[in-house]
């Protein structure tokens, strides 16, 4: 049995706590004896989350043995943590087999000296601060989570669920992780190197409707002619006026936006389909496999075939009958009768 200890403190982000907790609880419900989940604060006292929710921990940190997996959530409380919490992490963190952080929980681990020499990530808004305050830590602002030896760090809030699912998959297998993901209604595994921002989120939404329509068109038709001239005609503007207006309203040039959309679409096809490289290069507007390879190497440092090998989930074996229970204790075929939305 693996003990999972989730550290609590005032102004913690509630979803950083409950998201991974639900994943591990689901694994324990489907495989009894797989995890022992504990929550603890410094003195065992209730904590108030940043959203105002009060969480009552199971224990005081001092009363617990060293866990297998030590999980540190983030939240506003990481900005000025109690020095006693940092001291506890500094002493007990190295004894855990796995150190895990969600969001700005990485800042607490870094303050305790537990991330030096490791590649990590955190919420995009705090990556610069983490890198500036801790130069011995290699901060990667792009992925939704990073696993480096015994240290696993994730980006903002929901990415903690992705990381927890990856840990469960490592411990108990893909089918168990898939079962939990189904009942939580989330993806089984967004690859850890998936960007925190999609192309649409990375760019600002244009103010003028014609430009917004062009943004949507690019996203839905990455394989089409997306030259400035073609896009300008769709927006009913001259190419020069279109390029200037697009960059002014979205924060990036049309070409940069197209590049990001095409790369994102190609990554998704490599992860989710068995389509060939040549077919994907055409579907994403690269024209040739070599053009797509150059784009991947330039941006990701990896050729498409290598990217697929590393990040496409392994295929499932034969589908087995669903178990008679699920993480919530409700048979898969029966709706939750107490849900007011279900007649």
């Amino acid at each position: 049995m693996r003990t999972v200890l989730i550290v609590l403190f005032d102004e913690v982000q509630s979803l950083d706590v409950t998201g991974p907790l639900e994943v591990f609880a689901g694994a324990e419900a489907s495989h009894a004896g797989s995890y022992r989940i504990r929550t603890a604060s410094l003195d065992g006292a209730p904590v108030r989350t940043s959203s105002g929710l009060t969480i009552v921990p199971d224990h005081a940190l001092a009363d617990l043995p060293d866990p297998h997996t030590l999980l540190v959530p983030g939240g506003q409380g990481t900005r000025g943590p109690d020095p006693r919490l940092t001291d506890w992490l500094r002493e007990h963190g190295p004894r855990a087999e796995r150190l895990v952080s969600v969001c700005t929980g990485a800042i607490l681990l870094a303050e305790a000296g537990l991330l030096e020499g490791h590649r990590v990530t955190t919420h995009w808004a705090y990556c610069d601060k983490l890198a500036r305050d801790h130069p011995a830590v290699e901060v990667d602002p792009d992925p939704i989570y990073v696993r480096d030896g015994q240290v696993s760090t994730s980006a903002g809030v929901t990415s903690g669920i992705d990381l927890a699912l990856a840990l469960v998959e490592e411990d108990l297998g893909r089918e168990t992780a898939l079962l939990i993901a189904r009942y939580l209604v989330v993806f089984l595994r967004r690859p850890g190197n998936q960007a925190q921002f999609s192309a649409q989120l990375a760019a600002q939404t244009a103010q003028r409707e014609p430009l917004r329509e062009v943004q949507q068109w690019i996203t839905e038709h990455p394989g089409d002619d997306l030259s400035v001239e073609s896009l300008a005609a769709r927006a009913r503007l001259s190419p020069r006026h279109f390029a200037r207006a697009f960059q002014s309203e979205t924060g990036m040039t049309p070409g940069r936006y197209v590049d990001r959309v095409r790369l994102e679409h190609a990554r998704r096809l490599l992860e989710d389909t068995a389509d060939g490289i040549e077919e994907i290069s055409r579907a994403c507007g690269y024209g040739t496999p070599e053009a797509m390879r150059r784009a991947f190497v330039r941006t990701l440092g990896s050729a498409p075939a290598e990217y697929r090998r590393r990040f496409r989930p392994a295929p499932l074996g034969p589908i087995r009958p669903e178990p008679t229970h699920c993480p919530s204790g409700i048979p898969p075929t029966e709706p939750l009768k107490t849900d007011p939305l279900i007649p």
Side-chain angles (χ1 to χ4, degrees), residues 228-239 242:
V228 169
E229 291 74 17
S230 175
L231 297 175
R234 181 166 293 277
R236 300 179 182 85
L237 297 170
S238 71
F242 168 78

Side-chain angles (χ1 to χ4, degrees), residues 259-306:
D259 287 344
R260 295 193 69 149
V261 168
R262 282 177 167 162
L263 186 69
E264 183 177 303
H265 189 59
R267 290 168 69 170
R268 203 157 49 234
L269 292 178
L270 288 168
E271 294 163 11
D272 298 339
T273 76
D275 296 347
I277 301 295
E278 185 171 353
E279 183 179 356
I280 291 174
S281 67
R282 290 197 303 268
C284 296
Y286 288 110
T288 67
E290 176 58 23
M292 187 169 80
R293 189 193 70 81
R294 288 197 300 269
F296 267 67
V297 171
R298 180 175 62 250
T299 307
L300 303 176
S302 173
E306 173 64 12

Side-chain angles (χ1 to χ4, degrees), residues 136-261:
V137 179
E138 181 186 350
V139 181
D140 189 339
D142 191 45
I144 58 172
Y145 64 82
V146 171
R147 301 189 63 191
D148 184 12
Q150 71 166 145
V151 175
S152 298
T153 54
S154 59
V157 287
T158 58
S159 62
I161 296 176
D162 295 295
L163 177 53
L165 284 168
L167 297 175
V168 168
E169 183 175 355
E170 176 185 276
D171 295 340
L172 303 177
R174 179 176 167 81
E175 291 188 15
T176 298
L178 177 58
L179 174 66
I180 298 165
R182 283 172 178 163
Y183 289 109
L184 294 179
V185 198
V186 296
F187 292 109
L188 168 58
R189 182 180 70 182
R190 290 188 295 174
N193 79 321
Q194 182 170 321
Q196 295 192 34
F197 284 126
S198 65
Q200 296 94 315
L201 289 178
Q204 303 169 38
T205 300
Q207 297 177 3
R208 283 179 277 183
E209 185 174 352
L211 296 180
R212 290 199 303 271
E213 291 177 352
V214 167
Q215 284 182 285
Q216 187 64 29
W217 171 266
I218 293 170
T219 301
E220 295 175 352
H221 302 84
D224 285 16
D225 176 10
L226 300 180
S227 63
V228 169
E229 291 74 17
S230 175
L231 297 175
R234 181 166 293 277
R236 300 179 182 85
L237 297 170
S238 71
R240 185 175 180 181
H241 185 190
F242 168 78
R244 186 167 56 246
F246 190 96
Q247 181 166 6
S248 174
E249 296 195 17
T250 67
M252 64 176 65
T253 66
R256 175 63 175 154
Y257 188 80
V258 168
D259 287 344
R260 295 193 69 149
V261 168

